[in-house]
Amino acid sequence: MEILNSLNEKQREAASHDKGPILVIAGAGTGKTRVLTHRIAYLIESGKAMPWEVLAITFTNKAANEMKERIGKLIDYSIDKMWIGTFHSICVRILRRYIDRIGYDKNFTIYDTDDQRILIRDCIKELDLDTKTYNNSSIKALISNEKNMRNTPDNYIKDNYGNFVNRNKGEVYSLYEKKLKASNALDFDDLIVKTLKLFETNEDVLELYQDRFKYILVDEYQDTNNVQYNLIKILGKKKTGENNVFVVGDEDQSIYGWRGADISNILNFEKDFKGAETVKLEKNYRSTDVILNAANGVIKNNFQRKGKNLYTESEVGSLIRILQSDNEKDEAFTIAAFMRQEHREKNIDYSEISVLYRTNAQSRALEEGLIREGIPYKIIGGVKFYDRKEIKDVMAYLRLILNQKDDISFDRIINVPRRKLGQKTMDIISRYAELKGISNFEACFETDKLELMPSAAKSIEGFVSMIEMLMIKKDVMPLSEFIVDVVESTGLKEMLLQDETVEGRSRVENMEEFLSAAKDFEERYLENSLEDFLAHISLLADIDKTEDAVKDSVTLMTVHSAKGLEFDTVFIAGLEDGIFPILRDEDDDIEEERRLFYVAITRAKRMLYITHANDRMMYGNHELKMKSRFLKEIPAECIEESDSMSFGNKKLQRLESNIERRKNSFYASPAPSAENKPKLKSDNIALGDKIRHKAWGTGTVVQIKGDGKDEIITIAFENEGIKNLILEYAPIEKI
């Protein structure tokens, strides 16, 4: 058929499959969306199904819209009557017609995330539970998980009866469900759960939709959770035995286990649907041969997989560069240097370059490095480090401690963590301050004149006492120790730790990275007061603001956010054990971490760089790091390793002078005067000097090369051998 002529042999085999279940294992870059759209077009054009007899399920609205657009270009039929959408949108259409069968009115409301949070908050309040112990986000995640496992509140309470805290969480879940029902409302998880219940309790409705959908197609099948899997199973397994279920996925890209995705769904497809055919798409249209061989070499170490071997008919391509750095600052500088090289020498747009990392917290050092080097960037799937809520919160505390007239900072954190101060109380404070011509914080010293409720007055007085104590500590404690004290004494740390979700863990990591930034600043600069630190951050943020106007920007993101994307040049940062793979606990899944690395590798089309550091600041302390076990799994013939010495020399040769770079930079700023230039602890170090390194101990300076920002120092350490460091960033001091 002409519509299939543009497909390769395996793609055509999958798209033209006639009857019965079929599993399409589609490796990265093998054209799975192309196969899906051409199959739907083929079914309609060949007369095997009318448009409304095809059900196609995707995971995102973007994917659904893209599929509709592509199909519209392939066939003459209207796509308006097609059932193409996400699991949730498909279920809404069904429930709007038949939800009255299970005790709801058809005009039900769908509660979004914010609605859920408000409802959970009300439940916690009604049950008179401590908001610190019973965190809103954690309970929301618990409810979602239990619903996806189809576990009722009663069962959860029964299973956790011996655990006081969990039993109370179950009570919140129970009350939440009662309030939802009373409001004739469903949350997002309910949309699938209630559709399943409808089908299980109303055979006529189930048969209606089984008859309607002659062909069912599911994209990204490896990402399905328990209820999604059961929905496909109940719709696809017909009494007639005509199970025309077509699923596309890649078990090697199953990376969402933390949010409920179950890899066994794709691995067991042939067991669930007897007689299923399997087609493997292995011809890659994205990456070079070297990149694919590296990806194949890594992923073959997993046991939970069907097995496939990606190949390409395109060029062999350049070897993968493995770049070793001394620390995270040198890593960022190294990445920036090679980015500039790709951009200027090979004419690669910055928009075709991406930096991938395992955790959001890693972006801090990378962002600062790119800002310093004048390379524009944007962050996908998150916000820039110093714009993240938890970072802005601790910054507001620090600013208020420094400047008690800062009303913006006061307003931000007076109720963070929650102090049960309502808007009425805040209005009273601000009106009084305005009347007296004083700051909001200063107004809090006069609680006896504010006519507040006793509980509010007590909270305000406690807040003032805490800030006053921190104002005293600021002048007697080292910067990094002081910020640790602020995070702990204000309750920010406890508040973050209460959120046990993945997002909550990420916020904790961001806060720990902020402490590392403070420690790093303290070690590098002699003038390292709180004022200096806040000014340093403000200047970084100010420089970064100009980036918004630059369309040609490097993309920074976690590997999870990168799935489905591709770039000409990719940098994977932080390939060290404990970072990537992250592995916090013995129970962590090393195979999912390896799949994540596989996804990262296969985002690159032409050039791949992988970086790791010998020393990394973690939670405010230096840690010696071992390079990731995954690097050993890349075939040796695919890589080119650069040690620190060879890279340092090449860096000096390749980079333009600092003056020339500043002249041409979009972010050029006047050079600081001699008297205003920050003084480094590494200043005035000469050949033969004895020095002390925070992590590597004592050593002797044996060589100094380069000038200014690019000055490289070679040190012979007593216990660690010879190391090369960028002098500006080196955490050293003269003995």
Side-chain angles (χ1 to χ4, degrees):
M1 195 173 184
E2 188 176 336
I3 209 164
L4 303 179
N5 288 346
S6 62
L7 305 182
N8 67 37
E9 183 182 349
K10 284 293 179 180
Q11 290 174 335
R12 196 178 303 117
E13 180 185 345
S16 62
H17 180 74
D18 189 20
K19 289 185 182 287
I22 177 171
L23 168 65
V24 181
I25 300 294
T30 58
K32 73 173 175 65
T33 304
R34 186 176 180 83
V35 170
L36 273 168
T37 52
H38 279 71
R39 173 160 177 78
I40 294 171
Y42 166 77
L43 292 172
I44 294 169
E45 283 289 309
S46 64
K48 295 182 182 297
M50 298 303 291
W52 56 86
E53 293 177 324
V54 177
L55 171 64
I57 302 177
T58 66
F59 270 81
T60 65
N61 289 316
K62 181 182 177 183
N65 292 331
E66 183 185 352
M67 194 177 292
K68 290 175 183 177
E69 187 177 333
R70 290 199 189 187
I71 295 168
K73 293 177 180 178
L74 292 172
I75 60 175
D76 294 328
Y77 289 86
S78 170
I79 61 172
D80 296 337
K81 295 182 179 180
M82 291 185 183
W83 283 64
I84 300 175
T86 63
F87 277 97
H88 295 108
S89 66
I90 295 297
C91 287
V92 168
R93 291 182 68 175
I94 295 169
L95 291 173
R96 286 295 182 199
R97 289 191 64 185
Y98 294 106
I99 198 170
D100 58 321
R101 296 282 194 97
I102 55 172
Y104 288 80
D105 295 335
K106 292 181 180 180
N107 63 340
F108 62 88
T109 302
I110 301 171
Y111 277 11
D112 62 16
T113 300
D114 289 338
D115 297 326
Q116 286 180 264
R117 292 187 187 280
I118 292 169
L119 187 57
I120 292 170
R121 183 197 65 195
D122 291 345
C123 292
I124 293 171
K125 186 177 180 179
E126 189 170 324
L127 292 168
D128 198 27
L129 298 174
D130 179 27
T131 54
K132 293 182 179 179
T133 304
Y134 301 94
N135 176 272
N136 194 302
S137 297
S138 297
I139 292 178
K140 180 179 173 296
L142 180 147
I143 291 172
S144 179
N145 182 67
E146 295 305 312
K147 285 191 176 185
N148 286 329
M149 297 305 297
R150 306 190 73 187
N151 198 20
T152 66
D154 288 345
N155 285 337
Y156 182 83
I157 292 170
K158 183 180 177 182
D159 294 340
N160 291 274
Y161 200 79
N163 185 310
F164 178 76
V165 172
N166 285 351
R167 188 169 78 241
N168 281 338
K169 288 180 179 179
E171 295 294 346
V172 176
Y173 178 18
S174 180
L175 183 58
Y176 171 85
E177 286 292 273
K178 290 173 183 174
K179 286 181 176 290
L180 269 182
K181 185 67 167 61
S183 301
N184 194 45
L186 306 179
D187 61 26
F188 283 114
D189 295 311
D190 282 332
L191 296 175
I192 306 176
V193 172
K194 300 303 182 187
T195 303
L196 267 175
K197 184 180 178 180
L198 173 67
F199 287 158
E200 290 168 348
T201 56
N202 295 270
E203 193 172 344
D204 61 321
V205 179
L206 173 61
E207 289 180 356
L208 175 79
Y209 284 102
Q210 285 180 332
D211 292 340
R212 181 186 186 103
F213 302 132
K214 289 185 178 180
Y215 292 89
I216 298 173
L217 301 92
V218 187
D219 193 13
E220 303 286 8
Y221 193 66
Q222 79 280 348
D223 294 334
T224 52
N225 61 26
N226 180 59
V227 289
Q228 292 163 343
Y229 159 79
N230 279 295
L231 184 68
I232 298 303
K233 195 172 177 181
I234 197 170
L235 272 175
K237 299 189 78 169
K238 304 176 184 179
K239 289 182 179 180
T240 60
E242 192 176 310
N243 305 325
N244 297 323
V245 179
F246 182 101
V247 302
V248 182
D250 181 7
E251 78 282 7
D252 292 335
Q253 296 188 72
S254 179
I255 60 174
Y256 298 117
W258 51 273
R259 68 183 189 193
D262 189 348
I263 194 174
S264 66
N265 293 346
I266 191 169
L267 294 176
N268 295 331
F269 182 82
E270 292 100 332
K271 294 179 182 177
D272 294 328
F273 293 90
K274 302 295 184 184
E277 184 178 331
T278 299
V279 176
K280 294 181 182 180
L281 305 183
E282 298 173 299
K283 185 177 181 179
N284 179 282
Y285 294 91
R286 176 187 299 161
S287 307
T288 65
D289 189 61
V290 167
I291 291 169
L292 294 181
N293 286 339
N296 290 331
V298 169
I299 202 62
K300 73 178 184 182
N301 292 282
N302 273 7
F303 293 99
Q304 291 182 300
R305 63 192 301 258
K306 294 285 186 181
K308 63 180 175 302
N309 202 58
L310 297 181
Y311 71 94
T312 182
E313 294 178 354
S314 66
E315 61 179 319
V316 174
S318 302
L319 294 177
I320 297 167
R321 297 291 302 272
I322 310 294
L323 305 174
Q324 177 181 324
S325 302
D326 290 311
N327 50 54
E328 69 272 17
K329 295 178 291 294
D330 187 36
E331 178 184 52
F333 183 83
T334 300
I335 289 172
F338 278 101
M339 278 182 183
R340 197 179 297 283
Q341 178 181 298
E342 292 285 344
H343 181 64
R344 292 185 175 176
E345 296 181 13
K346 299 182 183 175
N347 295 316
I348 305 300
D349 291 341
Y350 281 134
S351 59
E352 277 294 313
I353 301 175
S354 179
V355 186
L356 308 181
Y357 37 83
R358 179 62 182 83
T359 65
N360 276 304
Q362 288 172 258
S363 80
R364 196 270 308 174
L366 295 166
E367 288 182 63
E368 291 191 9
L370 295 183
I371 292 169
R372 280 177 178 274
E373 295 305 309
I375 295 176
Y377 73 96
K378 60 184 178 184
I379 292 185
I380 302 296
V383 295
K384 294 180 177 181
F385 185 82
Y386 290 110
D387 289 339
R388 294 167 191 169
K389 181 184 180 305
E390 59 276 9
I391 303 303
K392 289 179 82 70
D393 287 343
V394 70
M395 289 278 291
Y397 268 107
L398 296 176
R399 286 176 175 140
L400 184 65
I401 292 164
L402 191 64
N403 174 19
Q404 292 77 56
K405 297 184 183 297
D406 185 349
D407 283 347
I408 292 177
S409 293
F410 174 88
D411 292 344
R412 181 177 184 93
I413 49 84
I414 180 62
N415 221 16
V416 179
R418 295 184 68 83
R419 297 185 176 89
K420 298 181 179 179
L421 299 172
Q423 190 57 49
K424 185 179 178 181
T425 300
M426 302 311 301
D427 290 342
I428 292 172
I429 293 171
S430 61
R431 282 198 299 269
Y432 184 84
E434 188 175 352
L435 180 67
K436 293 290 186 177
I438 58 179
S439 71
N440 289 346
F441 181 76
E442 290 169 326
C444 292
F445 283 90
E446 303 182 28
T447 52
D448 56 323
K449 299 177 182 178
L450 294 176
E451 298 181 359
L452 299 174
M453 295 289 290
S455 60
K458 187 178 179 180
S459 290
I460 292 290
E461 289 166 0
F463 175 77
V464 169
S465 297
M466 176 186 68
I467 297 296
E468 285 188 305
M469 179 57 69
L470 290 170
M471 287 164 61
I472 296 170
K473 289 181 177 180
K474 172 182 74 69
D475 297 323
V476 296
M477 294 177 72
L479 175 68
S480 58
E481 291 180 23
F482 172 68
I483 293 177
V484 169
D485 191 75
V486 170
V487 171
E488 291 179 352
S489 60
T490 58
L492 287 175
K493 180 179 180 180
E494 185 182 358
M495 179 186 73
L496 293 175
L497 289 174
Q498 289 295 330
D499 187 351
E500 299 170 353
T501 64
V502 173
E503 293 79 10
R505 184 186 296 173
S506 179
R507 284 189 279 272
V508 171
E509 290 170 348
N510 289 334
M511 186 65 77
E512 290 169 340
E513 182 61 24
F514 183 77
L515 299 178
S516 292
K519 184 71 172 178
D520 174 60
F521 182 84
E522 182 182 83
E523 292 178 352
R524 286 176 57 203
Y525 296 101
L526 287 173
E527 297 174 357
N528 52 28
S529 67
L530 177 61
E531 296 95 321
D532 296 322
F533 180 56
L534 291 177
H536 170 76
I537 292 173
S538 296
L539 288 171
L540 281 173
D542 186 61
I543 294 170
D544 188 38
K545 285 177 184 175
T546 57
E547 176 269 326
D548 292 336
V550 182
K551 292 183 179 179
D552 187 24
S553 305
V554 170
T555 301
L556 271 60
M557 66 185 116
T558 65
V559 184
H560 283 104
S561 298
K563 188 168 178 292
L565 303 178
E566 60 183 40
F567 299 88
D568 175 89
T569 303
V570 170
F571 294 83
I572 309 174
L575 259 292
E576 303 131 34
D577 273 351
I579 302 290
F580 202 170
I582 195 164
L583 301 183
R584 298 182 179 89
D585 306 303
E586 291 182 4
D587 295 335
D588 282 345
D589 189 350
I590 188 66
E591 293 211 353
E592 180 152 330
E593 289 289 304
R594 186 176 284 110
R595 291 194 291 271
L596 198 58
F597 186 45
Y598 172 84
V599 168
I601 293 172
T602 54
R603 298 313 92 193
K605 294 194 286 186
R606 180 189 61 85
M607 192 67 210
L608 178 62
Y609 297 87
I610 301 174
T611 67
H612 64 96
N614 299 326
D615 173 89
R616 191 175 293 273
M617 188 80 77
M618 302 287 293
Y619 323 127
N621 298 304
H622 289 279
E623 288 187 9
L624 294 178
K625 307 301 292 186
M626 299 289 293
K627 66 180 181 181
S628 172
R629 67 194 74 182
F630 293 157
L631 292 178
K632 301 173 185 176
E633 298 174 356
I634 301 175
E637 63 270 19
C638 296
I639 63 176
E640 175 187 352
E641 291 206 58
S642 300
D643 60 33
S644 54
M645 174 66 85
S646 65
F647 175 66
N649 291 333
K650 289 176 182 177
K651 186 159 55 178
L652 287 173
Q653 295 169 10
R654 290 174 178 171
L655 289 179
E656 301 171 344
S657 71
N658 193 38
I659 295 173
E660 190 65 23
R661 178 173 51 77
R662 283 183 177 273
K663 189 188 296 182
N664 295 327
S665 173
F666 183 78
Y667 301 96
S669 56
S673 62
E675 62 267 19
N676 294 327
K677 185 177 179 181
K679 295 178 180 178
L680 299 173
K681 290 184 177 181
S682 53
D683 279 352
N684 303 316
I685 287 179
L687 198 66
D689 281 347
K690 292 285 187 181
I691 61 89
R692 181 180 289 108
H693 188 281
K694 284 287 184 179
W696 298 328
T698 57
T700 304
V701 178
V702 296
Q703 190 177 48
I704 300 176
K705 288 185 177 182
D707 298 304
K709 191 177 179 70
D710 299 324
E711 193 171 11
I712 290 180
I713 183 171
T714 303
I715 303 169
F717 288 95
E718 293 175 2
N719 299 317
E720 298 294 333
I722 294 175
K723 302 283 187 181
N724 295 276
L725 300 89
I726 300 172
L727 185 57
E728 183 180 11
Y729 302 111
I732 60 176
E733 58 183 353
K734 191 187 295 188
I735 299 176

